Amino acid sequence: MAEHCAPTFDQLAHSLGFSCDSAGGLIEVRNPFALENWTLPVLETTVILGSVLALVLAIVRLRRHGDPTNLVLWFGATAYLFIIEPPLYFPAAFGISGHVDTMFAHNVFTVDFLWGRLPLYIVAIYPFMATLAYEIVRMLGVFRTHGAVIGAACVGFVHHAFYEIFDQIGPQLRWWEWSTSNSLNQPMFDSVPLPSVVVFAALWPMSLAFCVYWFVGRHEDRGDRFSGIQLVWRTIVIGLLASLGTFILPLPATVLGAGSTTVRGTIYALELVAVTIVAIPTLYRRWASLRREGPSGSAYTNDFVRGYSVVYLVVMAVLWLTALPDFLDATHGRTRDGDPIGNPWYTLACFALAIVCTAGVLTLPKGSATTRAVEMSEFRDVSG
């Protein structure tokens, strides 16, 4: 695939320590102890394990309760990945190189696909993060109470908080590198493009969550059941429409901000503010309402998400703490090794919000003894 090695990708790859010639083939497996630094295998282990366990939980829920929501969410997020990402890796192969240049390059990890473009952990992070965010909002009963639009906005908000903890540290630890000369990545928010902060951290999971609830979740709430064929086509449609939503939702910034980086950045920020204004009071009111109402036999809980949210936050906290000396020693936004640093205050705010969301579902009233027994049985199945 050397013929599809764009100059920008080649430049980014060399800055990360590899080249198109050494990027491997369709699939490449490497020694995890020979990667760029020790944080890469820690990151991929955390994400891949979480994604696999989320998939197991989804299968268990479908088999035991006939609830396909988690499974459709998992595969819908994966379908979205394979629709969105390949054109970004090989714009020439998709005939869009005249409009889209390489936006970023991932470093090489233990398992890579597509000639070093797609690490396995990136395949895993889409359904993993989507599951954490969707299930936190679902446990708070937002979808059932407020419907698809408000529920989706809350999922986008929660996903954004969890994702930006990871997004803001990635460039410093050489997990990937952005092309800062690409106009699609402008304006930059320290080491991260603001379009990524808004679109990929908040708007795409919002689009996915809306589609999942509209096509499956609301029917599940009514007790409807689907055949295998119905689930397959709904999952494919969810992936396609979620991709379309990722194009539609940023349109105000794309259209009104054409020709002005400042205007585009301002509109992106306003879209994120709008999601936040909707989500924070909604999530708090639902949590407070459930705390007042006390235990409910019909309450939905997900002990895997409750537990693994804590695992994810602890791992990310450790990674941030170990990166802190270089971060604090950075000058002009770069470490001594020349790696760009993220925004500390934004990261702290996202950490705080993610911790509050996790604490919120951990402090919900326990359901009935029967409900708790079923949930704990599922959790034991998932955790082995």
Side-chain angles (χ1 to χ4, degrees), residues 199-210:
V199 178
F200 285 100
L203 298 187
W204 96 256
M206 180 177 170
S207 177
L208 176 72
F210 176 86

Side-chain angles (χ1 to χ4, degrees), residues 168-250:
Q168 293 286 330
I169 198 176
Q172 180 186 338
L173 296 181
R174 304 179 67 80
W175 296 343
W176 65 81
E177 184 161 338
W178 292 100
S179 172
T180 57
S181 62
N182 191 320
S183 61
L184 295 177
N185 287 337
Q186 298 299 322
M188 294 293 292
F189 179 50
D190 290 338
S191 67
V192 184
L194 188 60
S196 174
V197 172
V198 178
V199 178
F200 285 100
L203 298 187
W204 96 256
M206 180 177 170
S207 177
L208 176 72
F210 176 86
C211 293
V212 168
Y213 189 74
W214 186 262
F215 283 97
V216 175
R218 65 192 180 106
H219 300 285
E220 168 60 27
D221 285 346
R222 295 199 299 258
D224 297 341
R225 291 294 178 261
F226 300 100
S227 67
I229 296 296
Q230 288 175 318
L231 288 179
V232 170
W233 75 255
R234 285 170 188 266
T235 302
I236 295 172
V237 169
I238 285 168
L240 292 170
L241 292 184
S243 304
L244 183 61
T246 306
F247 169 76
I248 294 173
L249 292 176

Side-chain angles (χ1 to χ4, degrees), residues 10-19 36 104-108 170-171 173-178 339:
D10 192 48
Q11 176 187 349
L12 295 173
H14 274 94
S15 69
L16 288 169
F18 68 100
S19 68
E36 177 73 29
F104 57 87
H106 294 291
N107 209 331
V108 289
L173 296 181
R174 304 179 67 80
W175 296 343
W176 65 81
E177 184 161 338
W178 292 100
D339 299 313

Side-chain angles (χ1 to χ4, degrees), residues 24 42 48 68 70 75 83 164 172 182 186-187 211 214 260 275 282 299 310 343 359 365 370 380:
V42 170
I48 293 169
N70 298 80
F75 280 106
I83 293 169
E164 279 308 299
Q172 180 186 338
N182 191 320
Q186 298 299 322
C211 293
W214 186 262
S260 173
V275 171
T282 301
V310 176
N343 188 291
T370 302
R380 283 195 295 270

Side-chain angles (χ1 to χ4, degrees), residues 253-318:
T254 305
V255 175
L256 299 178
S260 173
T261 300
T262 301
V263 172
R264 185 165 62 247
T266 300
I267 297 174
Y268 272 130
L270 289 174
E271 287 194 72
L272 185 58
V273 168
V275 171
T276 303
I277 289 174
V278 170
I280 288 181
T282 301
L283 292 170
Y284 174 75
R285 284 197 298 266
R286 286 303 307 150
W287 175 80
S289 176
L290 291 172
R291 293 280 294 178
R292 285 195 307 270
E293 291 169 3
S296 169
S298 61
Y300 175 80
T301 58
N302 186 323
D303 285 318
F304 160 69
V305 168
R306 282 173 161 176
Y308 212 86
S309 296
V310 176
V311 172
Y312 170 81
L313 290 173
V314 169
V315 170
M316 294 308 301
V318 170

Side-chain angles (χ1 to χ4, degrees), residues 63-124:
R63 293 181 63 182
R64 291 197 173 188
H65 305 293
D67 177 6
T69 307
N70 298 80
L71 195 62
V72 170
L73 175 68
W74 200 97
F75 280 106
T78 307
Y80 171 89
L81 157 75
F82 285 109
I83 293 169
I84 290 292
E85 296 263 342
L88 299 179
Y89 299 144
F90 304 106
F94 286 86
I96 59 174
S97 57
H99 307 283
V100 178
D101 190 15
T102 301
M103 298 176 66
F104 57 87
H106 294 291
N107 209 331
V108 289
F109 283 76
T110 304
V111 181
D112 280 322
F113 302 105
L114 303 179
W115 293 269
R117 268 64 164 191
L118 180 60
L120 176 59
Y121 96 91
I122 290 294
V123 178

